[in-house]
Amino acid sequence: MPRKTMIEAIRDALDVSMGRDERVIVYGEDVGFFGGVFRATQGLQAKYGRSRCFDAPINESGIVGSAIGMAAYGLKPCVEIQFADYMYPAYDQLTQEAARLRYRSNGDFTCPIVVRMPTGGGIFGGQTHSQSPEALFTHVSGLKTVVPSNPHDAKGLLIAAIEDPDPVIFLEPKRLYNGPFDGHHDRPVTPWSKHELGEVADGHYSIPLGKAAIRRQGSAVTVLAYGTMVYVAQAAAEETGIDAEIIDLRTLLPLDLDTIVASVKKTGRCVVVHEATLTSGFGAELAALVQENCFYHLEAPVARVAGWDTPYPHAQEWDYFPGPARVGRALVETLEA
Amino acid sequence: MADAGMLRFHVPEPEVRPGGTPDFSNVTIPKAGSVPRPEIDVDPRTIRDMAFSIIRVLNRAGEAVGPWAGLLNDEELLEGLRHMMTLRTFDARMQMAQRQGKTSFYMQHLGEEAVSSAFRKALKPGDMNFPTYRQAGLLVADGYPMVTMMNQIYSNEADPLKGRQLPVMYSSKEHGFFSISGNLATQYIQAVGWAMASAISNDSRIAAAWIGDGSTAESDFHSALVFASTYKAPVILNVVNNQWAISTFQGIARGGSGTFAARGLGFGIPALRVDGNDYLAVHAVAKWAAERARANLGPTLVEYVTYRAGAHSTSDDPSAYRPKAESDAWPLGDPVIRLKNHLIHKGAWSEDRHTQAEAEILETVIAAQKEAEGHGTLHAGGKPSTRDMFEGLYEEMPPHLRRQRQQAGV
């Protein structure tokens, strides 16, 4: 099977979707002729024409707002916000409009849009190129939130998101665009061509939203992770020698609670990890759900490893990013608790 | 330049406040028929002055004059009059129903009936409006059942929106009326997106965006103008300038100079200003803009100059911030009376027939109200089920919502 980077897999998903359904429209800042600042839409305008893939003014609210109108018309826009850090001007449109349109009109109008946005840190992106705002979406009823961690999933989940009848926030960890990253910034990065999850089947396939994947079977502790932190957790398990079961959530909402509960009931311990800031982060929801559903099976408090409650700094990148050492410590402490 | 001393902060104020004498002497009203009617493919740069004038058809004598006159026959005008009268009666009944506790909230159109009623008649089936909460004339003029509107206002068991929405936030795709949101201006850019989609699909349908004077200050107004301008979207960008945004006069949104129409000029969008209380002028201008959009000539911005004669909503008391008699002093008058006078002048209508029509319309509205109240009102009779609260958020209910529905015991 061919191996692709996550960028190539996303482009492939867009290509496949645009080829299968002429209602799929792709636009955003620098998305058209240039093919996107991360090259995710390269070649699509040449292949499908300027009516299907085009450049947008620098106006996030305009990009999402116009996409909602297009969806109400009957198209399926898949738009890009250049960085998740810049979605805030569109937050009104996403939370008050896209998320609510089906509900408030009782299905008279629907909003099958996908909003792609590069997310996450570990790239010296500083305050406005590193944020992980997923909790600001999972808190909004009516949205679905997806975070892939590898090229295979990125393609299958993006196709599923585009085919989904409801609005989907598709957060792409840009640190994973060219290869997996386990937080060891001092080591050379391996490309996706060296990783089995870089295998991306040609043509159409989809991965259902709302289904987690177990990346590593284990019996000692369950690790709930998504995006870049999946690889950090894997590195931490290897380095501490702890037999952790690592669950890649893939979709945060709707959440695959069954897989989580089955794993924690088996291991009796749980560590939640994410890059986003700790307080009121998505980890709080995960910890609460584990506590509610697995209380009598828990042998230790649910631990959370997250970004600090500060804006994402520049110089202190590796003091901020929750790397394998911090995750490893949490694993050890959870086992000793 | 000499030292200007301390800076002083400027906050615009309306000319008159409660207790004062209404004064619209600063509002320049051009003579009816005095503004030319350009071809639809006119170079926008050559009609910039139209953004500062007011297109008017009906003069003081009730005659239709000038190049924008002559588009509607008597039958159509009588139908328009009936629509406006129906909306006004509907408003009065629903206003009263709110006072009687049958619903929590209502918003009237008093004085603005011509804008949405006349505009609707310039559209074709399949076109889509993206209205605010003050364009129910679009529904009335399109024959949307009054009973259904009332069911929505009463949040009863027959409410098409299942009790999820605040009163007057209607939705009807079938009648080209996009779901109303409480968040101001959001629909303005959505209308542009809908129009872009129509062009992408090589369709012939057009969109109409609606916004009030106050909400033009929202950033989505700017977003819409940028996108409409960039992609030459087939959209009519309507600004209903009724002088007031709740308690703030239009100068807070616009400052002391220019017009709302003029905001389109910086985007290269042709902009017209029209007498919003003149049914014929509103219709003629809407038709011009619709033809432009349909001919792929791009967007048009239209400012309707009117006056919000009623309170902002049932939760508002305008006597706290403007003179009580200000609406009587409004120089563009009352849209219903002006069209009525025009039809009488033409010999197509009379005072007697008008009085009779008023009674008939009231009877029809009361009958509809009775039927709607048979389905329940907010606090009495049939209401949507608690189950409806959980349904319809996503096409398929996700597991966490199923669990919560079970917890709620439904």
Side-chain angles (χ1 to χ4, degrees):
Chain A
M1 217 187 289
R3 289 198 176 180
K4 292 184 190 321
T5 66
M6 195 190 279
I7 285 288
E8 290 164 339
I10 286 162
R11 189 189 308 150
D12 191 9
L14 294 171
D15 188 0
V16 166
S17 299
M18 292 176 87
R20 282 167 62 93
D21 186 347
E22 63 176 19
R23 296 173 302 167
V24 177
I25 308 295
V26 172
Y27 62 101
E29 294 155 19
D30 302 293
V31 161
F33 183 83
F34 180 57
V37 293
F38 292 105
R39 324 305 303 147
T41 56
Q42 192 168 34
L44 296 177
Q45 186 177 79
K47 186 168 175 182
Y48 295 102
R50 281 199 302 271
S51 289
R52 301 279 309 280
C53 177
F54 52 89
D55 290 319
I58 301 174
N59 184 322
E60 288 75 16
S61 180
I63 290 169
V64 175
S66 60
I68 293 167
M70 279 189 200
Y73 175 91
L75 299 185
K76 292 181 78 76
C78 178
V79 298
E80 179 181 305
I81 301 293
Q82 203 158 76
F83 286 85
D85 314 62
Y86 302 138
M87 69 83 186
Y88 299 94
Y91 200 58
D92 189 26
Q93 290 286 348
L94 288 168
T95 63
Q96 310 303 298
E97 302 293 322
R100 308 258 189 87
L101 188 54
R102 178 190 292 277
Y103 187 76
R104 78 173 194 229
S105 72
N106 192 30
D108 197 22
F109 295 92
T110 61
C111 191
I113 67 170
V114 177
V115 184
R116 295 178 38 243
M117 34 183 120
T119 187
I123 56 151
F124 281 96
Q127 295 188 22
T128 55
H129 297 79
S130 309
Q131 294 173 29
S132 298
E134 60 271 14
L136 295 172
F137 299 118
T138 55
H139 192 54
V140 179
S141 45
L143 297 179
K144 295 182 178 180
T145 302
V146 177
V147 191
S149 70
N150 60 73
H152 168 78
D153 283 6
K155 178 175 173 183
L157 288 167
L158 182 53
I159 289 174
I162 291 170
E163 292 172 355
D164 195 274
D166 288 304
V168 180
I169 306 296
F170 197 83
L171 293 160
E172 302 164 2
K174 56 189 162 302
R175 179 68 235 204
L176 302 180
Y177 269 160
N178 294 310
F181 177 68
D182 62 9
H184 284 294
H185 51 92
D186 45 346
R187 298 177 192 168
V189 176
T190 49
W192 282 115
S193 59
K194 299 264 189 341
H195 197 285
E196 60 179 12
L197 287 171
E199 288 187 354
V200 176
D202 289 330
H204 178 274
Y205 70 89
S206 66
I207 294 172
L209 305 186
K211 292 274 176 267
I214 297 177
R215 296 293 171 209
R216 184 189 189 282
Q217 301 276 349
S219 59
V221 55
T222 298
V223 179
L224 303 180
Y226 48 91
T228 309
M229 298 313 289
V230 170
Y231 304 97
V232 175
Q234 283 174 336
E238 277 162 34
E239 287 156 24
T240 55
I242 289 172
D243 188 22
E245 178 146 297
I246 298 170
I247 299 179
D248 178 356
L249 298 175
R250 302 201 289 197
T251 304
L252 306 189
L253 195 100
L255 184 67
D256 185 355
L257 188 60
D258 293 346
T259 298
I260 294 170
V261 170
S263 175
V264 176
K265 283 187 174 173
K266 178 179 76 175
T267 62
R269 295 168 200 270
C270 182
V271 175
V272 177
V273 295
H274 58 59
E275 287 183 61
T277 50
L278 180 74
T279 302
S280 301
F282 190 62
E285 181 64 28
L286 291 170
L289 285 169
V290 167
Q291 181 273 134
E292 281 166 22
N293 289 279
C294 311
F295 185 76
Y296 295 107
H297 294 80
L298 283 174
E299 293 170 45
V302 178
R304 288 183 287 161
V305 184
W308 308 118
D309 283 338
T310 69
Y312 206 114
H314 184 243
Q316 303 90 335
E317 175 84 270
W318 305 117
D319 302 316
Y320 183 91
F321 184 90
R326 269 180 66 199
V327 176
R329 268 202 303 283
L331 293 178
V332 171
E333 286 166 10
T334 300
L335 280 194
E336 288 170 353
Chain B
M1 205 174 171
D3 183 4
M6 278 189 298
L7 292 169
R8 282 167 300 137
F9 182 57
H10 174 68
V11 180
E13 260 294 301
E15 307 257 327
V16 194
R17 286 295 193 184
T21 308
D23 179 13
F24 288 108
S25 57
N26 64 335
V27 181
T28 312
I29 310 287
K31 270 187 146 170
S34 65
V35 177
R37 185 181 191 277
E39 295 298 317
I40 56 167
D41 59 354
V42 66
D43 180 347
R45 287 171 301 184
T46 65
I47 57 164
R48 293 172 68 91
D49 56 339
M50 293 186 78
F52 300 91
S53 189
I54 301 179
I55 296 165
R56 306 178 64 229
V57 172
L58 295 175
N59 67 15
R60 283 177 183 278
E63 298 159 332
V65 295
W68 295 87
L71 295 178
L72 294 167
N73 62 34
D74 289 355
E75 201 181 315
E76 290 165 326
L77 289 173
L78 285 167
E79 191 196 23
L81 181 64
R82 179 166 288 271
H83 292 152
M84 290 199 288
M85 291 167 73
T86 303
L87 179 57
R88 186 166 291 186
T89 308
F90 182 92
D91 273 349
R93 296 297 301 185
M94 291 297 100
Q95 176 88 2
M96 201 192 306
Q98 191 277 337
R99 297 299 189 227
Q100 292 166 339
K102 292 173 181 171
T103 183
S104 64
F105 183 72
Y106 191 69
M107 302 180 97
Q108 296 191 82
H109 304 75
L110 193 63
E112 300 177 41
E113 292 89 346
V115 176
S116 50
S117 302
F119 184 89
R120 176 71 243 189
K121 302 313 281 184
L123 294 184
K124 290 184 177 174
D127 294 340
M128 184 63 70
N129 284 287
F130 286 74
T132 76
Y133 46 68
R134 223 187 293 279
Q135 274 90 44
L138 296 170
L139 289 172
V140 171
D142 201 52
Y144 187 73
M146 254 188 295
V147 178
T148 314
M149 292 169 75
M150 290 170 174
N151 289 336
Q152 196 280 327
I153 290 163
Y154 288 143
S155 288
N156 62 22
E157 65 189 12
D159 174 3
L161 307 183
K162 304 284 185 192
R164 295 176 190 144
Q165 268 279 46
L166 205 62
V168 315
M169 307 276 180
Y170 316 104
S171 174
S172 176
K173 190 177 194 171
E174 196 192 336
H175 288 269
F177 193 94
F178 184 73
S179 158
I180 295 179
S181 169
N183 294 57
L184 298 177
T186 50
Q187 79 288 347
Y188 218 59
I189 174 67
Q190 292 164 6
V192 176
W194 195 98
M196 288 163 67
S198 185
I200 286 169
S201 308
N202 304 127
D203 198 348
S204 59
R205 297 185 285 160
I206 63 168
W210 292 88
I211 204 165
D213 46 284
S215 299
T216 61
E218 290 280 6
S219 51
D220 278 339
F221 176 70
H222 174 262
S223 302
L225 266 57
V226 173
F227 276 64
S229 158
T230 298
Y231 301 113
K232 292 198 184 303
V235 61
I236 307 172
L237 300 160
N238 296 311
V239 178
V240 183
N241 176 9
N242 67 13
Q243 317 299 320
W244 291 96
I246 308 186
S247 74
T248 51
F249 89 116
Q250 53 146 325
I252 292 292
R254 187 178 56 77
S257 62
T259 64
F260 290 104
R263 306 243 140 144
L265 300 180
F267 295 85
I269 298 174
L272 309 183
R273 229 163 153 248
V274 57
D275 178 347
N277 293 8
D278 180 339
Y279 187 94
L280 286 82
V282 169
H283 173 267
V285 166
K287 202 158 186 300
W288 189 88
E291 280 170 17
R292 254 184 62 78
R294 255 184 262 284
N296 214 38
L297 293 164
T300 306
L301 192 145
V302 182
E303 176 184 347
Y304 304 87
V305 183
T306 183
Y307 184 86
R308 195 196 76 210
H312 165 70
S313 73
T314 49
S315 308
D316 175 48
D317 173 16
S319 70
Y321 50 81
R322 69 183 190 190
K324 269 192 173 137
E326 194 176 83
S327 67
D328 298 335
W330 175 242
L332 295 176
D334 177 305
V336 174
I337 294 171
R338 285 176 64 194
L339 182 55
K340 173 189 148 191
N341 289 344
H342 172 59
L343 285 161
I344 290 174
H345 177 84
K346 289 181 86 177
W349 198 236
S350 67
E351 289 289 354
D352 284 352
R353 288 171 74 182
H354 193 81
T355 308
Q356 196 186 331
E358 275 178 338
E360 279 168 18
I361 287 167
L362 180 60
E363 207 173 300
T364 312
V365 174
I366 287 173
Q369 195 176 0
K370 215 167 177 184
E371 187 184 336
E373 288 177 10
H375 295 293
T377 58
L378 181 61
H379 300 297
K383 62 174 206 167
S385 76
T386 309
R387 209 181 158 86
D388 284 326
M389 183 171 73
F390 293 96
E391 305 281 349
L393 181 57
Y394 301 90
E395 183 173 278
E396 197 179 326
M397 188 176 289
H400 71 283
L401 265 187
R402 272 205 306 278
R403 284 193 295 274
Q404 289 175 25
R405 193 182 65 190
Q406 283 159 7
Q407 281 170 16
V410 290

